[in-house]
Amino acid sequence: MKIPMILNEEKVVLDVEPEDTLLDALRTQKLFSVKNGCGKGRCGFCTVLLDGEPIPSCLIPAGIVRGAAVVTLEHFSKSPEYADIAAGFEQADVRPCGYCNAAKYFSVHSLLSRVYRPSQDELNELADAQMCSCTDHDAFINGVLYATANKHRREGRKNGL
């Protein structure tokens, strides 16, 4: 079946089988930041942005993405938002193991897209949701705080905030 979509800001048509997941379809496109982990949507290894929201691609039937926009970590890693997060992680000595990169980067990106200054509760919730044990809870929170400061510095201070 042919699935037209926008993949990493390019119009493409994926040729997939009805039983294929989005994860399967992306791997056939040689997008290897999308990793097969638990297969149940919990580990985050297969996370992508679907119309701007982080989702586990292992749970999404490929046919559902018809006309949607999907961004993988390969493309996102070229963005200023990624640079803010990467610098924040480096400042906090956070080193994702390679399997969980997409989950960590996209979850932080999603939070910082919605919230100007995350609360302690939001930071704890985000850190608690990270299933991979490669990163210490407090170091991850510090990385998010540094990423927030980096984003603010890059964007300039918003009026009244």
Side-chain angles (χ1 to χ4, degrees), residues 42-111:
R42 286 189 237 136
C43 70
F45 296 176
C46 66
T47 303
V48 297
L49 295 177
L50 176 62
D51 291 332
E53 293 298 319
I55 56 103
S57 62
C58 69
L59 296 181
I60 306 298
I64 288 181
V65 300
R66 180 179 302 277
V70 173
V71 174
T72 64
L73 196 59
E74 283 91 348
H75 184 72
F76 183 71
S77 68
K78 300 170 189 162
S79 71
E81 293 84 3
Y82 177 92
D84 295 338
I85 299 165
F89 282 177
E90 186 173 320
Q91 289 167 286
D93 201 29
V94 172
R95 301 192 196 307
C97 66
Y99 288 98
C100 64
N101 289 8
K104 284 185 171 54
Y105 279 90
F106 287 143
S107 65
V108 173
H109 168 68
S110 179
L111 176 66

Side-chain angles (χ1 to χ4, degrees), residues 32 66 95 106 125 128 133 144:
F32 299 118
R66 180 179 302 277
R95 301 192 196 307
F106 287 143
E125 184 178 323
D128 291 344
S133 61
V144 177

Side-chain angles (χ1 to χ4, degrees), residues 2-154:
K2 305 282 186 195
I3 306 294
M5 64 178 292
I6 300 169
L7 178 57
N8 293 332
E9 296 186 6
E10 291 184 24
K11 289 182 180 180
V12 299
V13 177
L14 298 179
D15 189 11
V16 299
E17 297 298 321
E19 68 276 2
D20 286 349
T21 64
L22 179 56
L23 168 65
D24 298 328
L26 294 173
R27 296 288 290 189
T28 65
Q29 297 295 303
K30 302 200 181 330
L31 295 167
F32 299 118
S33 70
V34 186
K35 297 182 174 32
N36 192 0
C38 69
K40 296 180 180 168
R42 286 189 237 136
C43 70
F45 296 176
C46 66
T47 303
V48 297
L49 295 177
L50 176 62
D51 291 332
E53 293 298 319
I55 56 103
S57 62
C58 69
L59 296 181
I60 306 298
I64 288 181
V65 300
R66 180 179 302 277
V70 173
V71 174
T72 64
L73 196 59
E74 283 91 348
H75 184 72
F76 183 71
S77 68
K78 300 170 189 162
S79 71
E81 293 84 3
Y82 177 92
D84 295 338
I85 299 165
F89 282 177
E90 186 173 320
Q91 289 167 286
D93 201 29
V94 172
R95 301 192 196 307
C97 66
Y99 288 98
C100 64
N101 289 8
K104 284 185 171 54
Y105 279 90
F106 287 143
S107 65
V108 173
H109 168 68
S110 179
L111 176 66
L112 297 184
S113 295
R114 294 187 323 271
V115 177
Y116 183 74
R117 185 171 289 119
S119 69
Q120 189 63 49
D121 286 344
E122 289 166 323
L123 292 168
N124 283 325
E125 184 178 323
L126 184 68
D128 291 344
Q130 303 305 308
M131 296 300 290
C132 189
S133 61
C134 70
T135 304
D136 174 71
H137 183 274
D138 292 338
F140 181 75
I141 288 175
N142 287 335
V144 177
L145 291 171
Y146 282 124
T148 303
N150 295 338
K151 178 182 179 191
H152 293 177
R153 196 170 15 265
R154 178 179 52 80

